[in-house]
């Protein structure tokens, strides 16, 4: 059972989710995120202190320590009724808040924020929230143990900020960390998102990564089901923050869910499906604010429903890189070399389109833009590539539904809808599985196009 940031965002919501955990009679492991907004707060304070003049660092770290400590202290006091448990939890929260203050002092005095230091700073969000949730469960009579992801057996590579799990290690570590607790009737409460590398250095697995922690633990414990408890009823036909008339999708395949998550539906982390799919473990998405709702079940079977299109997603944090040059046609394997270079620098390509031998376009995340431009300028511009152009005010819109495979004319109708809105399509891609169609438009047109596609294909079921 994984609970996201909003589900552990206050004493009241922690009270509610711990009731859900107590009600679940089967053997279980709980995974929690940091309290809502805490990870964002940690990112900003780390950046802020690394840029401050030395004379101001100490004061700023002290101020943040008080803010961080008092936020978690008041949540703990509001939800942990057993005085003895509360005292012990508050002492640990204070110790960790202090360790955070000292870490920030280091970042501030050195004026240096590496990805490694940032991961260390970010880890405090989850390391503290598990203490509160475990304490709340204990004061409701359960035997619990709060663990970091590493203590629960999650070992990653040293790719700080976006670390990848090492499966070969974890087939041993997860079971040996958690099974003895489960056998003794102790409920493990695990910090999501945070793990460590083989040298026990703290790593994180990418923003939104607590879902990934849950599915990894599920895979290695061979569980019957992974439950993701969040703040919406399940996977919806679009982001409810963009479209009003969204509908709940009660069942969806791994492949469709993975595509949606990959292209912006952040209700689940895009990497979390793979471990579940590997071991055929169903993933259930539920609303912790409406536990009676049926939720969404993600399974292997690809079920065609009447509606051809199940959902539409939008991803705004992307840029297009356009490479031009007739020299590209004359340089053997230039695309291979380019993508290899980006790959070894951990830059993912979200979409590719090559319209001719002298033109290649691809899409990357905003976060990778500076690095990708530097690499291409250093290695390729003037060397097969004449010009590198960046389009940064764009978004990807993705339409998902297994029913699209083999249905004629669907792409034509989608693109007609975009054109009816007087919007220009910049780039198009369709996976060979035909489960999704993605295209790029200007960022300012994104929400309008999503609403219009939803209206035509989902509200009115063409
Ligand atoms: P948590 O903190 O529980 O991990 P997130 O904020 O990461 O929750 O993800 C839940 C959010 O995902 C929802 O509040 C919703 O705005 C957003 N979202 C985007 N696309 C979808 C979709 N297709 N279905 C459901 N939620 C979506
Ligand atoms: N707390 C982390 C984040 O905000 C991980 C998560 O919420 O899943 O990205
Ligand atoms: Mg999330």
């Amino acid at each position: 059972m994984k609970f996201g940031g909003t589900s552990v965002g206050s004493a009241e919501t922690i009270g509610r989710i711990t009731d859900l955990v107590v009600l679940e009679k089967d053997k279980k492991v709980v995974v929690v995120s940091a309290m809502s907004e805490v990870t964002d707060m940690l990112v900003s304070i780390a950046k802020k202190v690394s840029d401050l003049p030395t004379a101001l660092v100490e004061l700023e770290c002290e101020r943040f320590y008080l803010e961080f400590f008092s936020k978690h202290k008041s949540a703990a006091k509001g939800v942990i009724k057993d005085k003895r448990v509360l005292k012990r939890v508050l002492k640990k929260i204070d110790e960790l808040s202090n360790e955070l203050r000292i870490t920030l002092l280091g970042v501030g005095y050195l004026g240096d924020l590496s990805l490694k230091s940032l991961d260390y700073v970010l880890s405090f969000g989850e390391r503290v929230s598990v203490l509160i949730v475990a304490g709340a469960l204990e004061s409701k009579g359960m035997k619990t143990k709060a663990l970091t992801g590493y203590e629960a057996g999650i070992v990653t590579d040293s790719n700080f900020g976006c670390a990848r799990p090492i499966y070969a290690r974890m087939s041993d570590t997860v079971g040996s960390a958690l099974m003895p607790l489960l056998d003794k009737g102790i409920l493990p409460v695990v910090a999501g998102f945070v793990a460590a590398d083989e040298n026990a250095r703290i790593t994180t697995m990418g923003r939104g990564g607590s879902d990934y922690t849950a599915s990894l633990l599920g895979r290695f414990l061979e569980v019957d089901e992974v439950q993701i408890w969040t703040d919406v009823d399940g996977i919806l036909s679009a982001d409810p923050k963009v479209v009003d008339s969204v509908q709940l999708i009660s069942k969806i395949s791994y492949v469709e869910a993975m595509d949606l998550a990959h292209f912006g539906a952040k209700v689940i982390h895009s990497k979390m499906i793979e471990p579940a799919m590997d071991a055929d473990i169903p993933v259930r998405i539920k609303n912790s604010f409406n536990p009676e709702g049926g939720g969404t079940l993600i399974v292997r079977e690809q079920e065609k429903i009447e509606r051809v299109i199940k959902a539409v997603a939008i991803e705004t944090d992307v840029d297009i890189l356009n490479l031009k040059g007739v020299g590209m046609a004359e340089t053997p394997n230039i695309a291979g070399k380019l993508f290899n270079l980006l790959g070894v620098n951990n830059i993912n390509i979200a979409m590719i389109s090559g319209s001719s031998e002298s033109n290649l376009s691809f899409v990357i995340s905003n976060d990778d833009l500076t690095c990708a431009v530097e690499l291409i300028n250093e290695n390729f511009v003037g060397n097969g590539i004449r010009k590198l152009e960046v389009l940064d005010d764009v978004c990807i819109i993705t339409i998902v539904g297994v029913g699209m495979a083999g249905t004629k004319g669907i792409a034509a109708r989608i693109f007609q809808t975009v054109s009816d809105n007087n919007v220009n399509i910049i780039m198009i891609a369709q996976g060979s599985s035909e489960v999704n169609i993605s295209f790029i438009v200007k960022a300012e047109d994104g929400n309008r196009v999503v609403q219009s596609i939803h209206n035509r294909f989902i509200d009115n079921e063409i």
Side-chain angles (χ1 to χ4, degrees):
M1 301 177 82
K2 175 263 173 177
F3 298 93
T6 37
S7 303
V8 295
S10 66
E12 194 198 334
T13 58
I14 296 173
R16 199 174 306 144
I17 63 119
T18 46
D19 286 344
L20 290 171
V21 172
V22 173
L23 276 175
E24 174 61 71
K25 294 296 171 219
D26 282 341
K27 241 185 213 179
K28 58 203 164 273
V29 173
V30 168
V31 173
V32 295
S33 295
M35 292 177 74
S36 51
E37 284 155 39
V38 165
T39 310
D40 288 339
M41 279 162 58
L42 291 166
V43 172
S44 340
I45 188 70
K47 287 187 176 153
K48 184 172 180 187
V49 295
S50 71
D51 275 343
L52 275 183
T54 317
L56 302 179
V57 166
E58 194 171 347
L59 201 66
E60 186 57 25
C61 294
E62 182 65 23
R63 186 200 61 73
F64 189 79
Y65 156 78
L66 289 172
E67 184 184 343
F68 185 87
F69 179 58
S70 69
K71 181 178 173 77
H72 291 94
K73 179 174 150 188
S74 69
K77 279 177 111 174
V79 71
I80 303 175
K81 301 295 172 213
D82 180 322
K83 290 273 169 324
R84 193 184 42 87
V85 177
L86 177 64
K87 194 172 162 205
R88 202 181 64 228
V89 169
L90 287 180
K91 183 165 175 278
K92 283 197 200 149
I93 296 179
D94 192 26
E95 280 165 14
L96 279 176
S97 305
N98 233 316
E99 191 186 323
L100 169 61
R101 185 180 60 83
I102 295 164
T103 309
L104 289 171
L105 277 174
V107 169
Y109 282 134
L110 292 172
D112 181 37
L113 182 61
S114 63
L115 287 174
K116 192 182 199 175
S117 327
L118 182 61
D119 275 0
Y120 200 91
V121 172
L122 297 192
S123 72
F124 287 95
E126 271 77 4
R127 281 159 75 199
V128 172
S129 67
V130 278
L131 296 174
I132 304 174
V133 174
L137 285 164
E138 206 178 324
S139 82
K140 286 181 181 170
M142 297 194 81
K143 284 201 272 179
T144 64
K145 187 169 169 60
L147 303 162
T148 65
Y150 186 64
E151 287 166 341
I154 299 198
V155 185
T156 66
D157 63 12
S158 306
N159 182 26
F160 296 97
C162 198
R164 285 170 289 238
I166 303 176
Y167 277 35
R169 288 287 309 278
M170 286 166 56
S171 50
D172 185 37
T173 51
V174 173
S176 50
L178 300 181
M179 287 315 287
L181 295 175
L182 290 166
D183 289 342
K184 279 190 241 152
I186 298 172
L187 168 66
V189 181
V190 180
F193 173 57
V194 182
D197 68 9
E198 294 191 272
N199 300 316
R201 293 279 169 204
I202 286 185
T203 56
T204 65
M205 299 194 291
R207 294 302 305 270
S210 298
D211 302 334
Y212 199 17
T213 305
S215 69
L216 286 167
L217 295 181
R219 180 194 188 275
F220 288 104
L221 291 173
E222 296 174 21
V223 298
D224 296 329
E225 180 171 291
V226 172
Q227 296 181 351
I228 304 293
W229 290 83
T230 182
D231 61 354
V232 284
D233 279 343
I235 299 190
L236 304 166
S237 51
D239 186 343
K241 291 178 184 118
V242 177
V243 173
D244 289 333
S245 56
V246 288
Q247 298 175 21
L248 175 67
I249 301 171
S250 53
K251 208 169 170 195
I252 194 166
S253 65
Y254 291 130
V255 179
E256 291 167 298
M258 201 149 49
D259 279 347
L260 276 176
H262 184 69
F263 287 109
K266 73 160 186 163
V267 59
I268 48 169
H269 189 270
S270 60
K271 291 189 193 158
M272 72 115 11
I273 294 294
E274 204 183 292
M277 191 161 88
D278 263 2
D280 244 319
I281 299 168
V283 177
R284 197 181 291 277
I285 320 287
K286 296 271 287 177
N287 189 347
S288 69
F289 298 84
N290 176 28
E292 284 77 35
T296 297
L297 189 64
I298 311 177
V299 289
R300 182 170 301 276
E301 297 81 50
Q302 300 202 337
E303 198 175 277
K304 287 199 183 180
I305 53 171
E306 262 172 59
R307 238 180 23 231
V308 172
I309 287 172
K310 284 199 183 132
V312 48
I314 176 165
E315 174 63 73
T316 46
D317 296 331
V318 288
D319 305 298
I320 299 182
L321 297 188
N322 233 325
L323 306 180
K324 294 182 179 163
V326 277
M328 280 165 71
E330 285 145 24
T331 317
N333 193 26
I334 189 158
K337 286 179 192 149
L338 174 76
F339 292 139
N340 186 39
L341 180 68
L342 296 176
V344 296
N345 284 281
N346 292 312
I347 297 176
N348 272 326
I349 316 281
M351 257 168 90
I352 303 176
S353 143
S355 56
S356 75
E357 279 193 308
S358 57
N359 188 352
L360 178 70
S361 302
F362 58 92
V363 182
I364 57 170
S365 148
N366 268 340
D367 295 340
D368 295 328
L369 181 66
T370 317
C371 177
V373 168
E374 253 169 47
L375 287 168
I376 295 169
N377 277 334
E378 262 170 39
N379 295 282
F380 293 97
V381 173
N383 190 8
I385 290 169
R386 182 173 48 82
K387 195 171 157 213
L388 167 63
E389 188 181 69
V390 179
L391 300 179
D392 57 4
D393 54 349
V394 295
C395 64
I396 309 181
I397 295 179
T398 299
I399 287 116
V400 168
V402 287
M404 287 195 294
T407 307
K408 289 197 191 77
I410 193 78
R413 274 178 286 166
I414 291 168
F415 298 143
Q416 183 61 48
T417 311
V418 181
S419 137
D420 291 346
N421 278 280
N422 213 5
V423 169
N424 179 38
I425 295 179
I426 303 171
M427 193 168 151
I428 299 173
Q430 179 176 34
S432 54
S433 64
E434 290 187 58
V435 163
N436 77 61
I437 294 178
S438 297
F439 56 89
I440 293 196
V441 297
K442 279 225 155 114
E444 64 195 37
D445 297 324
N447 285 1
R448 196 156 50 89
V449 170
V450 168
Q451 270 163 11
S452 179
I453 286 178
H454 194 279
N455 184 269
R456 172 155 181 200
F457 295 92
I458 295 173
D459 296 335
N460 294 311
E461 302 196 9
I462 48 140

